[in-house]
Amino acid sequence: MTPDPPTLLGCSAVIFLLLGVHFILSELSSRRWSRMAWYAAPFLLGSASGLFFIIPTMLPGLWGLRLGALFMVMAYGAAWQALRVMLGCQARLVLLVSGCGLSFILSVLAGPTGLFHVISTAFRLAIIAAFHALAARDLQQKAPIRTPARRSLLRLLHFYAALHLLLVPFVFWLPAPLGAAPATIWAVTTYNFLVVIEVALFALAMIAIPWEQLAFRQQELILQDPLSGGSNRRAFQAWLENDGKICAHEALLMVDIDHFKSINDAHGHAVGDQIIIAMGRVCTDILYPPTVLFRIGGDEFVVVFQCGSLDEMLATAHRLRKAFSTETRLIGGGAVTATLSIGAALCPGRGIPRTELLAQADNALYIAKQSGRNRVVHAPWDETPVPAQHISLADRTAHQA
């Protein structure tokens, strides 16, 4: 059975209209009018474009087709803006209006055939490709969270940007709407199919990405310590149980705040909280990404960072210890003396299980606390470390002084 272009375009227009209504209703309760307008605009403009293409004779001459092409370009541009709004960015109205306006001016100057018609069609395809490329760039640069829906949408945008750009050199020979030659049923059907697929996937991504970002942020909160700003015990356990090998240049510091219970008893938990906050602030100030800070107990921390030598690791540990003492001097009106005991372990020139590195640092911390506190101790690998299987978060209370 031969496809009927008006029927195909009519079905597409209805689908676009329903998607536009969906986004209006979904944002209506939040009363975020600008967000609602941008989310719905691509689909409503696409529906209007389909209507003009179905009944081009509703306006005299070529004006029906010209407006249909204009609304189609505007729909792609509005989709780019909707994506920017979803990412928390400002809409780029100047670029949107300039691109759509120039495309419309060229279509007004063009006739049904001829050089201007070819130029107008080529520019329309190029500006649509540009809108896709700009949307892909914004999604790549401004989306901090890499979710499955985001990756799928990025691939979709790259594909359709490349597709429209590849059509430009062949615009003289390809039939409309793929090119500037007279329209054929197969060309209308093919382009309509591609548009429907893109719109459906784009709509699904616009729905899924915010939910995935929310879930990711909630997961981050679950794994974050609210006082220090680092990761919590649950995150540390997940890191520790990773069965991969650590790199040959990874250092691990086991850090304990000396006499923290006594500080809490003498000055109150509010002062104790300020000391924990200071620990997180000091780590942020003096340590560089990809350093990871874990708070695994009330006054116990693990710091993991990349390190090239023993001297570098010990220098970093001493810098952390001194900066913490300086940072905490003004807490509690200057009446608090807070220091750190640090056990340091550097991964040898081979990959080892993380539990083994932890055991070595834990053994060094025990020595630091037994030998007077407020110091850094490194247990060399030629000394026998505490067996990894005997070290667990639950067993660490045995090393408390």
Side-chain angles (χ1 to χ4, degrees), residues 50-313:
L51 179 63
F52 280 108
F53 283 134
I54 294 169
I55 317 175
T57 56
M58 69 171 61
L59 294 175
L62 298 175
W63 286 103
L65 294 176
R66 287 168 178 163
L67 288 178
L70 172 63
F71 280 116
M72 180 171 64
V73 175
M74 290 176 63
Y76 283 111
W80 169 37
Q81 303 310 310
L83 182 63
R84 286 183 59 83
V85 170
M86 184 190 69
L87 297 174
C89 305
Q90 294 292 327
R92 303 284 293 274
L93 290 178
V94 174
L95 283 177
L96 173 63
V97 173
S98 300
C100 295
L102 186 54
S103 178
F104 183 65
I105 291 172
L106 289 175
S107 70
V108 171
L109 296 176
T113 58
L115 179 60
F116 266 108
H117 176 64
V118 174
I119 294 174
S120 173
T121 304
F123 183 82
R124 172 174 53 82
L125 293 171
I127 199 66
I128 291 174
F131 285 150
H132 281 91
L134 289 169
R137 183 203 63 180
D138 288 339
L139 187 62
Q140 181 77 37
Q141 295 179 352
K142 303 183 184 301
I145 303 173
R146 306 298 191 256
T147 64
R150 174 199 169 278
R151 290 192 293 269
S152 298
L153 180 57
L154 191 61
R155 286 193 289 265
L156 179 76
L157 293 171
H158 282 146
F159 172 79
Y160 276 89
L163 174 64
H164 283 87
L165 198 60
L166 287 173
L167 293 176
V168 173
F170 306 100
V171 69
F172 183 81
W173 299 278
L174 289 172
L178 299 173
T184 62
I185 292 178
W186 74 265
V188 173
T189 303
T190 300
Y191 194 79
N192 183 74
F193 174 77
L194 291 171
V195 170
V196 170
I197 292 297
E198 180 182 15
V199 168
L201 293 177
F202 182 82
L204 289 174
M206 291 289 288
I207 295 170
I209 288 176
W211 284 104
E212 286 185 340
Q213 290 177 330
L214 178 61
F216 186 88
R217 292 190 182 100
Q218 289 176 336
Q219 181 67 18
E220 279 190 324
L221 291 175
I222 292 173
L223 299 177
Q224 186 179 46
D225 175 59
L227 286 178
S228 67
S231 299
N232 60 15
R233 179 172 178 156
R234 185 195 301 260
F236 177 71
Q237 194 67 50
W239 176 85
L240 191 63
E241 292 173 354
N242 188 310
D243 58 358
K245 300 293 185 180
I246 61 176
C247 70
H249 301 291
E250 192 165 10
L252 188 150
L253 306 180
M254 291 289 300
V255 182
D256 187 271
I257 301 176
D258 297 326
H259 306 295
F260 185 71
K261 185 178 184 303
S262 299
I263 294 174
N264 264 337
D265 293 342
H267 302 282
H269 290 283
V271 170
D273 288 347
Q274 292 181 49
I275 291 175
I276 299 298
I277 294 171
M279 177 64 184
R281 187 164 57 244
V282 167
C283 287
T284 301
D285 290 342
I286 72 170
L287 301 176
Y288 302 98
T291 299
V292 183
L293 171 67
F294 298 100
R295 184 187 178 195
I296 62 173
D299 60 341
E300 292 181 300
F301 298 85
V302 170
V303 179
V304 183
F305 58 97
Q306 298 298 310
C307 184
S309 68
L310 175 61
D311 289 340
E312 180 186 351
M313 179 188 69

